[in-house]
Amino acid sequence: MIVTGTDIEFAAKCIVEGNLVAFPTETVYGLGADAFNPLAVARIFEVKQRPTFDPLIVHISEMKQINDLYDSNIDNLVYALAHAFWPGPLTIVHPKSARVPDIVTAGLNTVAVRMPSHPIALQLIRLSGTPIAAPSANRFGLLSPTRPEHVQKQLTNVAYLLENESEMVGVESTVVSIQNGKCILLRPGAISLTDIQKVIPCTAISKDNSNDKIHAPGLLKSHYSPNKPLYILSGDVNNLPLNSGLILHDELKTNTNANRVFCTSETQNAIEIAANLFIALHAMEDDTSVSQIFIESVEETGLGVAIMDRIRKASYRYKLN
Ligand code: TXA
Ligand code: MG
């Protein structure tokens, strides 16, 4: 069991001493370490069982910290995006300064940085006096955590787990890369492409989806998976196989033979769906009366793009064809 509580000062002390802290952000829980302490960062990979080719996001609390992380020629597009979306769920990948340890960036010459808007995350970074490298606080490839018990379920060897009262967005930050004057969307997330294009109209979507040359491993085709089969719903909800769980995004209007039904929203509201997506998947994963899960699709506009991205990746290995 991980020790949990609300003592941000103690959590900051853990970070300074090179230990790991799980903490809430506005998107999902993060598993943090001092970004300038390579040994502490190495422990993140160990605890998450994450391959070291998968780089981490560095979290900051003040704009001036980008000067220690990015190289000295920071592109104006970075400032434009930061001005529009920080603090908030946007991660900006940009060429890095030599000070950033290789283990943080998996040896890449770029680093991913974001300023979260969650007050607990911001206070933790401030009190630690250092940027905090943090992936989502789940075991590699498994469901992202939006509640303290989700972190407890998957991780051990974490010094402290900061509890959170407020609801989370539920999908991770949007990741963009700014390089050579170009803005490319690497991972759809809490901020939509349309919102980013309002600031940088020529923002393009990354085409590189291959699993070996990793631009952003969040682009792997399979990710965020529950530990039982998950299928995108295509048939009749009253004709599901025995012991099915059913995740809908609207109130249940008809009968179903599912053992368990979870409605993420009563009105197909994308914000509610995102906030409840991982909660629903964790609940189905934990329910011993459920052997496979069926989930409804959502409309792919705005936040729906990131939601469908997570649903496709979570169900990828169970595709019916
Ligand atoms: O909302 C979030 O972003 C959460 C919270 C905790 O901040 N964090 C998160 O981290 O989702 P993680 O490690 O699960 O996802 C980070 C993504 C990965 O897809 C990673 O490959 C990509 O960011 N990334 C990190 N550094 C990169 C770099 N230098 N170039 C390209 N992609 C990078
Ligand atoms: Mg993750």
Side-chain angles (χ1 to χ4, degrees):
M1 278 296 271
I2 307 171
V3 178
T4 62
T6 54
D7 188 344
I8 308 181
E9 267 176 46
F10 175 71
K13 194 163 158 274
C14 294
I15 296 283
V16 171
E17 288 172 354
N19 292 314
L20 305 187
V21 171
F23 64 99
T25 78
E26 72 279 25
T27 55
V28 299
Y29 265 88
L31 178 64
D34 176 354
F36 289 125
N37 179 340
L39 283 179
V41 174
R43 299 196 53 226
I44 294 179
F45 288 90
E46 193 183 303
V47 164
K48 269 197 69 137
Q49 299 176 6
R50 176 175 172 122
T52 46
F53 60 72
D54 193 359
L56 306 179
I57 296 174
V58 178
H59 297 70
I60 58 172
S61 57
E62 283 175 76
M63 201 52 201
K64 66 174 190 226
Q65 289 172 299
I66 64 172
N67 299 318
D68 301 326
L69 296 166
Y70 292 146
D71 74 5
S72 51
N73 294 316
I74 300 179
D75 196 307
N76 281 334
L77 296 178
V78 170
Y79 291 101
L81 287 177
H83 180 73
F85 300 111
W86 283 357
L90 180 74
T91 296
I92 307 173
V93 172
H94 183 271
K96 78 178 187 83
S97 111
R99 276 194 69 198
V100 180
D102 277 339
I103 184 141
V104 172
T105 62
L108 297 174
N109 59 5
T110 54
V111 62
V113 178
R114 87 175 183 100
M115 188 190 292
S117 63
H118 198 293
I120 296 178
L122 284 173
Q123 184 68 352
L124 175 67
I125 302 162
R126 257 181 230 124
L127 292 177
S128 302
T130 180
I132 294 183
S136 49
N138 52 281
R139 293 253 293 281
F140 184 71
L142 304 187
L143 294 175
S144 298
T146 52
R147 287 194 172 167
E149 58 268 27
H150 298 162
V151 181
Q152 291 280 14
K153 198 168 93 178
Q154 295 192 9
L155 301 183
T156 52
N157 294 325
V158 174
Y160 195 60
L161 165 57
L162 270 170
E163 281 167 337
N164 168 55
E165 299 299 322
S166 55
E167 191 173 77
M168 296 185 169
V169 174
V171 292
E172 295 83 347
S173 62
T174 305
V175 181
V176 297
S177 144
I178 302 283
Q179 274 187 84
N180 308 319
K182 290 201 189 101
C183 180
I184 299 174
L185 179 84
L186 298 181
R187 176 175 77 175
I191 292 174
S192 72
L193 177 63
T194 320
D195 287 337
I196 292 167
Q197 284 172 332
K198 281 182 198 146
V199 181
I200 304 177
C202 57
T203 302
I205 300 175
S206 170
K207 296 258 174 345
D208 190 338
N209 243 0
S210 66
N211 281 5
D212 36 272
K213 175 95 178 59
I214 298 211
H215 263 248
L219 295 180
L220 291 176
K221 287 188 179 124
S222 171
H223 211 80
Y224 317 105
S225 297
N227 65 5
K228 43 185 87 162
L230 172 72
Y231 304 102
I232 296 178
L233 182 68
S234 57
D236 182 358
V237 293
N238 203 14
N239 198 17
L240 299 171
L242 216 58
N243 301 328
S244 289
L246 177 63
I247 301 175
L248 302 173
H249 311 302
D250 209 337
E251 60 179 338
L252 181 60
K253 296 193 192 81
T254 51
N255 274 339
T256 170
N257 66 329
N259 271 10
R260 169 94 182 258
V261 180
F262 193 122
C263 297
T264 59
S265 167
E266 291 186 349
T267 56
Q268 298 193 23
N269 176 306
I271 293 171
E272 287 170 9
I273 299 170
N276 288 315
L277 178 67
F278 285 116
I279 291 174
L281 288 167
H282 275 284
M284 292 295 181
E285 191 176 77
D286 296 344
D287 189 328
T288 50
S289 78
V290 170
S291 317
Q292 67 271 317
I293 312 160
F294 289 83
I295 185 165
E296 219 179 8
S297 310
V298 301
E299 196 191 325
E300 283 183 88
T301 52
L303 189 55
V305 176
I307 297 170
M308 251 346 263
D309 171 74
R310 304 309 188 266
I311 291 177
R312 278 204 194 92
K313 282 176 182 151
S315 62
Y316 183 77
R317 69 176 83 166
Y318 302 112
K319 262 178 38 181
L320 290 169
N321 48 33

